[in-house]
Amino acid sequence: MQGTVSIFNEDASGEAVLDNGRRVAFDAAAFAVSGLRFLRLGQRVSLETDEAGTVVAVRIFTMRE
């Protein structure tokens, strides 16, 4: 799913707003998967979730796995 970063905390957790307006939180572990150092507010991201709907990875579109 895709969204826009609305909150990014110093501990590397944050929140994104999906295209449908729903807010989805992510923790530092999901951000660590990206290999990034920080995100900017308003930045577009791709969010990967597990079966339970928990965000397990946050990536920007210019980065490949």
Side-chain angles (χ1 to χ4, degrees):
M1 70 182 109
Q2 298 179 16
T4 304
V5 176
S6 61
I7 297 172
F8 186 69
N9 300 310
E10 289 181 17
D11 68 356
S13 66
E15 182 179 82
V17 179
L18 303 181
D19 294 340
N20 64 7
R22 187 173 68 118
R23 294 181 174 271
V24 178
F26 57 88
D27 61 16
F31 178 72
V33 172
S34 72
L36 300 171
R37 291 184 178 199
F38 61 89
L39 293 171
R40 292 178 287 110
L41 299 182
Q43 187 169 20
R44 294 288 292 171
V45 292
S46 172
L47 305 165
E48 296 176 24
T49 58
D50 61 13
E51 299 82 28
T54 303
V55 176
V56 295
V58 179
R59 303 185 197 285
I60 59 173
F61 293 105
T62 58
M63 302 294 291
R64 297 186 188 256
E65 294 180 28

